[in-house]
């Protein structure tokens, strides 16, 4: 019954035909007046879990959110859908502030967004305590936990809400919280035995891939971006310097590329974030300083120009693509040198040995997934503790299962060459040695039994095999201040390869590795609308709708996606609705937007 009222709002106001995933369960719980904890993946529709009960239950709904930008976006989107929503923060003009309080007094405001410190001010609590409240939602609830990855001390104050508003249901939502973090959220927010809703970590709209870096520089990243024109993307690079250089190179190719890192002035950062959010197709090149609260739903790809720090970070970072539920991509470039650097960074930190070991294990697990041979999302979900996980069917490894070939004998040759050379040479010199091609070779090196024993493979084949051995820990790279040297890894493991007890397999025989690298690249080429499920025939209409949306967004100074998401526009382009009724049936077209934009949209459809 209560849920029927909620579903009616879902359809009328938000234009979606039914709840998905765990939404109905969470909303039902809150509608019944009970507190709850919901862990739903990014793009899983968390915001509706508190927006809808706020609209249906009597009283004002409070939403606590850590970032002003995030609130501003949600409020703009709600207002587009005809919902009375506002945010209050230190930047709110006094006249608007007075108007908001007037609306609250009249009972006409449905939702009020606040920061934790804004809400917990005594005067604010005092004013709110006299009002009927429909619920208090705590967004990004993992911020309350020290075990989470983004602890915010001001979130700790929210525990007091349990005493201040004992009758009001509290809903804690987050996209990432392992069991330990969930326990912490429950304790800190005093949720008692509130029901917990934990959805799968699956992100079926994301097609994931990873490739080993080839050569130096950013050539491959430029290629990947060029293959995805007129799309918004995020590119993560490991260093500020790398971010600046990559953004420059992209801009030189005519892409709207914005650099973002902690070394830039705060106002410049804010400006670039705004540009990115409002653009129809922009590429944000950033360090991990760019992250939480960036809810641009139409990010179509995330590229890691350098690999992330661990699987948790990987999932979060690629999770910023495809939040609107339309197809998107996560592409990661990685190398054995990145692995070596990551290990060294951990080793140089002033930490307990056991903490170091745990962090190094996380790094190894990341590279095992990146360089692995079976479904990537399945590996990640198992890592997060999900059981009975099936293959995704759309990552690079599902689509083109690599053929494993035994390379134990070649590995034995490489390991004994490295052993003889005493770990004093870099990769290129080791390969020259194996091929017997060392320039001005010394008499002692030429006399070694391993000199020239690997002529059957190409240099590229050996490079791949050495990478493989590095990823498996059989070889170890010493970064040596940018002139890396290769030495033997784990002694026991190396010995078992010599004895033939441990087999080494590579994705293909090293000799053909070069060819497989090229094949891997052409696979990435697709026409630009394909990942959005747009047939070439519908592309002109889709582009025209996007152009129309861009103009309407610019007029109103809002990001384009608060008008309609890409997923909605692509459905319109596919179905070509001829009437307002037909248009209303498309997901994302609610009553308010139908009234506001329906006639315009039908006109675009008729004209193209
Ligand atoms: P989250 O905050 O969990 O990342 P959002 O609340 O921003 O996700 O929702 C992600 C997208 O999914 C939005 O485009 C939203 O309109 C859409 N969405 C949410 N619930 C539904 C639903 N029941 N049916 C269709 N689309 C939905
Ligand atoms: Zn897969």
């Amino acid at each position: 019954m209560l849920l029927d009222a909620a579903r009616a709002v879902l359809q009328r106001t938000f234009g979606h035909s039914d709840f998905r995933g765990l939404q109905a369960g969470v909303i039902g719980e809150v509608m019944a007046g009970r507190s709850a904890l919901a862990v739903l993946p990014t793009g899983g529709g968390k915001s509706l879990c508190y927006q809808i009960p706020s609209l249906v239950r009597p009283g004002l709904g409070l939403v606590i959110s850590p970032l002003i930008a995030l609130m501003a976006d949600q409020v703009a989107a709600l207002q587009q859908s005809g919902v009375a929503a506002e945010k209050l923060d230190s930047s709110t003009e006094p006249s608007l502030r007075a108007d908001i309080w007037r609306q609250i007094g009249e009972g006409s405001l449905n939702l009020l967004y606040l920061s934790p410190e804004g809400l917990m001010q005594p005067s604010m609590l005092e004013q709110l305590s006299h009002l009927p409240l429909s619920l208090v939602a705590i967004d990004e609830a993992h911020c309350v936990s020290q075990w989470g990855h983004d602890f915010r001390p001001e979130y700790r104050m929210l525990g007091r809400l349990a005493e201040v508003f004992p009758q009001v249901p509290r809903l804690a939502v987050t996209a990432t919280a392992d069991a330990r973090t969930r326990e912490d959220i429950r304790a800190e927010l005093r949720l008692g035995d509130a029901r917990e809703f934990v959805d799968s970590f699956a992100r079926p709209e994301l097609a994931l891939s990873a490739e080993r870096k080839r050569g130096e520089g950013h050539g491959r990243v430029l290629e990947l971006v060029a293959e995805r024109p007129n799309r918004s993307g995020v590119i993560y690079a490991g260093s500020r310097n790398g971010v600046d250089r990559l953004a420059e190179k992209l801009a030189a190719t005519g892409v709207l590329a914005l650099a973002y890192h902690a070394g830039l002035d705060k106002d410049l950062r804010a400006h670039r974030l705004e540009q990115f959010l409002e653009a129809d197709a922009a590429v944000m090149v950033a360090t991990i300083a760019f992250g939480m609260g960036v809810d641009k739903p139409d990010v179509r790809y995330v590229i890691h120009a350098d690999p992330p720090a661990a699987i948790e970070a990987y999932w979060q970072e690629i999770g910023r693509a495809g939040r609107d539920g339309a197809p998107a991509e996560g592409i990661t470039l990685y190398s054995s040198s990145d692995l070596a650097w990551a290990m060294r960074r951990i080793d140089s930190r002033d930490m307990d040995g056991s903490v170091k070991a745990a962090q190094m294990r996380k790094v190894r697990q990341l590279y095992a997934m990146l360089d692995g041979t079976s479904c990537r999302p399945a590996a990640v979900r198992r890592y997060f503790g999900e059981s009975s996980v099936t293959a995704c069917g759309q990552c690079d490894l599902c689509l083109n299962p690599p053929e494993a070939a035994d390379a134990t004998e070649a590995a034995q040759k490489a390991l004994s060459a490295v052993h003889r050379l005493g770990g004093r040479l870099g990769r290129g010199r080791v390969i020259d040695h194996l091929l017997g091609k060392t320039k001005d070779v010394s008499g002692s090196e030429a006399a070694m039994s391993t000199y020239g024993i690997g002529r059957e493979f190409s240099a590229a084949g050996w490079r791949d095999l050495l990478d493989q051995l590095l990823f498996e820990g059989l070889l170890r790279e010493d970064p040596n201040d940018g002139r890396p040297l290769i030495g033997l890894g784990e002694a026991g493991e190396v010995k078992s390869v010599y004895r033939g007890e441990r087999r080494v397999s590579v994705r293909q025989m090293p000799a053909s590795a070069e060819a497989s690298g090229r094949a891997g690249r052409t696979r990435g080429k697709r026409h630009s609308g394909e990942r959005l499920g747009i047939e070439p025939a519908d592309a002109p209409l889709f582009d025209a709708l996007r152009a129309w949306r861009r103009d309407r967004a610019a007029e109103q100074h809002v990001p384009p996606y608060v008008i309609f998401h890409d997923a909605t526009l692509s459905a319109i382009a596919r179905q070509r609705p001829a009437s307002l009724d037909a248009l209303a049936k498309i997901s994302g077209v609610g009553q308010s937007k139908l009234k506001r934009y329906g006639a315009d949209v039908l006109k675009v459809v008729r004209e193209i």
Side-chain angles (χ1 to χ4, degrees):
M1 278 278 277
L2 285 171
L3 213 52
D4 289 343
R7 191 174 285 110
V9 171
L10 175 75
Q11 291 163 351
R12 198 171 58 237
T13 306
F14 297 97
H16 301 311
S17 54
D18 208 347
F19 293 117
R20 61 182 193 204
L22 301 178
Q23 275 177 334
V26 179
I27 290 173
E29 196 71 7
V30 179
M31 294 288 295
R34 291 187 291 267
S35 294
L37 166 57
V39 185
L40 307 186
T42 310
K46 282 182 290 299
S47 38
L48 289 185
C49 289
Y50 49 80
Q51 290 167 352
I52 290 183
S54 298
L55 295 179
V56 182
R57 281 172 63 82
L60 175 68
L62 302 179
V63 183
I64 316 306
S65 174
L67 294 173
I68 292 180
L70 204 137
M71 297 191 225
D73 243 38
Q74 282 214 9
V75 167
L78 283 166
Q79 290 174 347
Q80 287 282 329
S81 294
V83 174
E86 294 289 353
K87 71 176 168 69
L88 264 181
D89 60 61
S90 49
S91 72
T92 311
E93 300 273 334
S95 61
L96 177 58
R97 190 173 286 269
D99 185 51
I100 291 171
W101 280 109
R102 182 189 54 74
Q103 292 181 55
I104 294 174
E106 283 173 359
S108 59
L109 193 70
N110 283 127
L111 275 150
L112 182 63
Y113 283 70
L114 295 161
S115 66
E117 52 283 23
L119 170 65
M120 299 314 284
Q121 279 167 23
S123 61
M124 177 66 77
L125 288 178
E126 157 63 22
Q127 292 193 73
L128 291 174
S129 65
H130 302 298
L131 295 168
L133 297 179
S134 50
L135 64 85
V136 184
I138 298 135
D139 206 355
E140 311 286 359
H142 62 271
C143 291
V144 80
S145 166
Q146 261 171 324
W147 299 115
H149 46 81
D150 195 18
F151 174 55
R152 292 182 180 234
E154 64 275 17
Y155 257 64
R156 286 275 157 102
M157 299 187 283
L158 298 175
R160 280 194 53 221
L161 292 174
E163 331 159 354
V164 185
F165 305 117
Q167 307 303 329
V168 182
R170 283 164 298 130
L171 174 62
V173 296
T174 171
T176 47
D178 57 15
R180 192 170 190 183
T181 309
R182 293 202 293 276
E183 265 322 297
D184 232 23
I185 293 174
R186 184 182 287 283
E188 287 294 332
L189 296 180
R190 299 184 219 170
L191 288 171
D193 54 4
R195 259 186 82 180
E196 202 165 289
F197 297 83
V198 183
D199 206 349
S200 157
F201 280 83
R203 289 289 311 276
E205 64 283 7
L206 290 185
L208 303 182
S209 62
E211 34 184 283
R212 291 184 187 174
K213 292 180 184 176
R214 309 246 160 201
E216 300 292 312
H218 289 134
R220 181 62 181 142
V221 180
L222 299 182
E223 227 172 80
L224 289 168
V225 173
E227 286 167 6
R228 291 160 181 76
N230 306 319
R231 299 276 171 270
S232 286
V234 175
I235 302 177
Y236 283 108
S239 68
R240 295 176 186 184
N241 185 16
V243 164
D244 289 333
R245 277 184 299 134
L246 185 51
E248 255 169 53
K249 283 188 205 150
L250 282 167
T253 69
V255 172
L256 174 55
L258 305 161
Y260 190 106
H261 55 70
L264 297 173
D265 173 66
K266 193 163 147 273
D267 292 338
L268 184 60
R269 272 190 342 232
H271 174 65
R272 289 194 173 159
L273 176 59
E274 197 172 322
Q275 261 184 301
F276 178 64
L277 293 177
E278 300 204 347
D280 229 9
V283 177
M284 188 60 111
V285 188
T287 59
I288 50 168
F290 176 78
M292 196 176 84
V294 181
D295 276 1
K296 187 176 171 65
D298 56 353
V299 171
R300 295 269 70 87
Y301 59 83
V302 169
I303 297 174
H304 279 98
D306 298 307
I311 288 183
E312 285 89 344
Y314 173 67
W315 211 240
Q316 259 223 317
E317 286 155 21
I318 55 147
R320 301 198 170 110
R323 295 181 53 107
D324 55 8
E329 296 172 278
I331 305 162
T332 309
L333 305 183
Y334 63 98
S335 72
S336 53
S337 317
D338 293 324
L339 168 62
W341 273 110
M343 291 300 195
R344 208 165 113 115
R345 253 195 318 271
I346 293 171
D347 200 36
S348 69
R349 277 189 212 139
D350 185 20
M351 291 183 303
D352 231 45
S354 62
V355 180
K356 275 187 192 176
Q359 294 205 355
M360 287 185 176
R361 193 172 63 240
K362 276 184 183 289
V363 172
R364 285 230 172 273
Q365 284 169 314
L366 169 74
Y367 281 83
M369 182 280 297
L370 289 176
D371 207 59
T373 51
S374 65
C375 180
R376 297 181 194 284
V380 172
R381 291 168 60 196
R382 274 194 294 270
Y383 174 88
F384 284 133
E386 271 187 59
S387 49
S388 60
V389 172
T390 51
C392 78
Q394 60 177 354
C395 70
D396 52 346
L397 299 175
C398 280
L399 292 177
N400 295 289
E403 278 167 41
D406 189 273
T408 309
E409 199 182 314
Q412 289 165 343
K413 290 180 182 176
L415 292 172
S416 50
V418 169
H419 175 67
R420 297 273 145 78
L421 293 169
R424 292 181 312 270
L425 299 183
R427 182 185 319 224
R429 286 288 315 277
V430 172
I431 293 172
D432 286 345
H433 176 91
L434 285 161
L435 295 173
K437 280 195 194 158
T438 307
K439 237 171 83 194
D440 304 325
V441 65
S442 69
S444 59
E445 185 179 334
M448 289 178 187
S449 61
T450 47
Y451 189 71
I453 54 165
R455 293 203 173 91
E456 65 273 38
F457 299 133
S458 68
W462 280 117
R463 213 173 298 125
D464 270 11
L465 180 64
L466 294 185
D467 271 342
Q468 183 73 35
L469 297 174
L470 286 160
F471 288 127
E472 293 190 24
L474 291 163
L475 288 178
R476 190 169 289 153
E477 193 172 73
D478 171 1
N480 188 31
D481 286 329
R483 298 182 56 80
L485 304 177
I486 299 224
L488 288 184
E490 204 45 55
E493 295 297 315
V494 170
K495 218 174 260 159
S496 62
V497 174
Y498 282 142
R499 291 202 205 102
E501 293 158 8
R502 172 169 171 169
R503 311 299 297 177
V504 174
S505 57
V506 290
R507 293 186 181 181
Q508 255 158 341
M509 276 314 281
S512 60
E514 233 168 357
S516 87
R518 273 201 301 275
R521 276 161 205 219
T522 40
R523 275 205 306 272
K525 283 212 166 76
R526 303 174 173 112
H527 83 76
S528 66
E530 193 185 322
R531 291 277 330 141
L532 274 169
I534 294 161
E535 297 292 327
D538 301 332
L541 177 52
F542 179 65
D543 289 339
L545 288 165
R546 277 166 58 108
W548 164 82
R549 178 181 66 176
R550 188 163 49 233
D551 294 345
R552 298 307 309 259
E555 280 161 32
Q556 304 175 64
H557 303 289
V558 294
Y561 53 81
V562 308
I563 296 183
F564 286 120
H565 281 177
D566 277 358
T568 303
L569 292 190
S570 73
I572 296 173
R574 228 174 8 251
Q575 298 177 26
R576 300 188 154 262
S579 66
L580 287 174
D581 281 350
L583 180 59
K585 293 211 173 68
I586 290 174
S587 195
V589 186
Q591 285 304 315
S592 157
K593 290 186 181 176
L594 188 69
K595 218 184 284 157
R596 216 187 280 214
Y597 303 120
D600 269 23
V601 168
L602 293 179
K603 186 154 166 279
V604 178
V605 173
R606 267 197 310 276
E607 281 171 0
I608 304 294

